[in-house]
């Protein structure tokens, strides 16, 4: 069960995991509120998608609708993603005497997850955040997410290749907490030193218009590209020199950093939340304080100017990315399910 507002990391992982379950011989149904982009992604994976009115945390019909679906399909276990789905999924599961596993993809408030039989957190940071709020540590398993589509030898995106070899890519939802404007301020400093640098934003969001306006104010609009939402993220990173995630708020994990590392692309990222579980400072990337424009610009310039450093980080990035196996991630989730159904 999932209540998506956009096609982000949580939504992608939920779809990949359901596809893996289907390929492994399990019956998996996605119950979700209506969202055309996410629904299309799931149907593209050939998943059984049911649109159910479960949006919002004040919805007197949501639990009943889910209970009806559970009975109709003879469900054995409920797996929820995102907070509203967790509220209604847990209530429905309790009503039907079923276990409910709640997947925590960010540093959330504890309340929606209080009634879950088990919580799966995407990072040690996400787990620690819940424990600090009073959630029992034994009730949380950490399972790192991963991309189900290995990058292989991804062909670089042609539209980025044409821009030259110094493309800095930020793949994120363009909202304030992702540090979009911080990156542009840093980009101004980088471009002053290396005028051929291109800053590419892969994603959409409410900060885009502010970012476009700022780029013009700084006189760097010809060095900035807004790519929109991209489904070819491997190709985008394959054409990039550096991946950047300048988040201002704690990240639950930061899947795009692992995706970039899998292609040998070093990253510069804010040292927030679970990011340090992917990026080891000085090994496969550089961590900087959130919101520090000078530190961000300096780190990017290091990786643009120092070829030996870039090559060393690139090698370590590929090695680190092997820790993020989708097969292991899926099996670890299934182990949680099986332990709950055995004890039922």
């Amino acid at each position: 069960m999932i209540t998506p507002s956009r096609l982000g990391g949580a939504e992608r992982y939920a779809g990949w995991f359901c596809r893996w379950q289907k390929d492994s011989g399990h019956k998996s149904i996605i119950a979700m509120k209506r969202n055309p982009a996410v629904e299309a992604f799931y149907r593209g994976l050939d998943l059984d998608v049911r649109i159910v009115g479960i949006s919002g945390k004040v919805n007197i019909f949501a639990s009943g609708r889910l209970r009806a679906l559970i009975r109709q399909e003879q469900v054995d276990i409920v797996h929820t993603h995102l907070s509203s789905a967790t509220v209604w999924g847990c209530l429905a599961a309790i009503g039907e005497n079923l276990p409910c596993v709640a997947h925590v993809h960010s540093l959330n408030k504890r309340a929606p997850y209080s009634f879950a039989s088990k919580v799966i957190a995407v990072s040690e940071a996400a787990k620690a955040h819940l424990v600090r709020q009073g959630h029992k540590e034994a009730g949380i398993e950490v399972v790192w997410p991963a991309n189900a589509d290995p990058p292989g030898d991804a062909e670089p995106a042609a539209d980025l290749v044409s821009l030259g070899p110094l493309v800095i890519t930020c793949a994120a939802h363009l909202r304030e907490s992702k540090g979009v404007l911080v990156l542009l301020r840093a980009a101004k400093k980088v471009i002053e030193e290396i005028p051929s640098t291109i800053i590419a934003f892969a994603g959409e969001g409410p900060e885009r218009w502010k970012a476009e306006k700022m780029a013009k104010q700084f006189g760097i609009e010809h060095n900035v590209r807004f790519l929109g939402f991209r489904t070819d993220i491997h190709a985008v990173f394959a054409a990039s020199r550096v991946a950047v995630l300048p988040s201002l708020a704690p990240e639950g994990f930061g899947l795009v950093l692992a995706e970039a590392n899998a292609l040998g692309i070093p990253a510069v990222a804010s040292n927030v939340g679970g990011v340090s579980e992917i990026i080891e400072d000085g090994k496969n990337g550089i961590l900087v304080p959130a919101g520090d424009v000078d530190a961000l610009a300096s780190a990017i310039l290091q990786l643009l100017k120092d070829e030996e450093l870039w090559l060393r980080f690139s090698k370590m990035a590929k090695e680190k990315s092997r820790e993020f196996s989708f097969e292991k991630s899926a099996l670890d989730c299934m182990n949680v399910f099986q332990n709950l159904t055995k004890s039922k």
Side-chain angles (χ1 to χ4, degrees), residues 117-128:
S117 311
K118 199 79 171 181
V119 169
I120 295 177
V122 296
S123 64
E124 293 291 345
K127 175 181 178 177

Side-chain angles (χ1 to χ4, degrees), residues 51-185:
I51 303 300
V52 185
I54 54 173
S55 60
K57 294 183 179 65
V58 183
N59 184 337
I60 61 174
F61 302 108
S63 179
R65 288 166 178 158
L66 291 173
R67 289 184 68 177
L69 179 61
I70 287 169
R71 288 193 296 269
Q72 177 186 325
E73 298 296 336
Q74 298 181 319
V75 169
D76 295 310
I77 192 163
V78 173
H79 183 199
T80 67
H81 301 262
L82 307 179
S83 57
S84 291
T86 297
V87 170
W88 304 124
C90 284
L91 287 176
I94 290 169
E96 297 300 316
N97 194 30
L98 291 176
C100 179
V101 175
H103 220 112
V104 178
H105 293 271
S106 56
L107 273 63
N108 292 92
K109 292 181 179 178
R110 177 197 170 200
Y113 305 93
S114 299
F115 298 105
S117 311
K118 199 79 171 181
V119 169
I120 295 177
V122 296
S123 64
E124 293 291 345
K127 175 181 178 177
H129 185 70
L130 289 177
V131 171
R132 283 194 295 270
Q133 296 175 73
H135 202 105
K136 291 183 179 178
E137 188 171 359
I140 308 172
E141 294 289 337
V142 174
V143 178
W144 282 338
N147 192 322
D149 300 317
D153 296 320
E155 285 292 322
D159 57 330
L160 292 181
V161 170
S162 65
L163 300 175
L166 301 181
V167 176
I168 312 303
T169 297
C170 174
H173 185 227
L174 304 186
R175 62 179 188 267
E176 184 178 2
S177 64
K178 293 296 184 179
V180 176
L181 302 186
V182 171
L183 176 54
L184 279 176
R185 293 186 182 99

Side-chain angles (χ1 to χ4, degrees), residues 296-314:
L296 183 60
S298 176
I300 293 170
L301 283 166
Q302 271 187 270
L303 288 171
L304 293 182
K305 290 179 174 181
D306 191 333
E307 182 69 15
E308 185 179 333
L309 179 71
W310 188 93
L311 289 171
R312 187 168 75 248
F313 279 17
S314 176

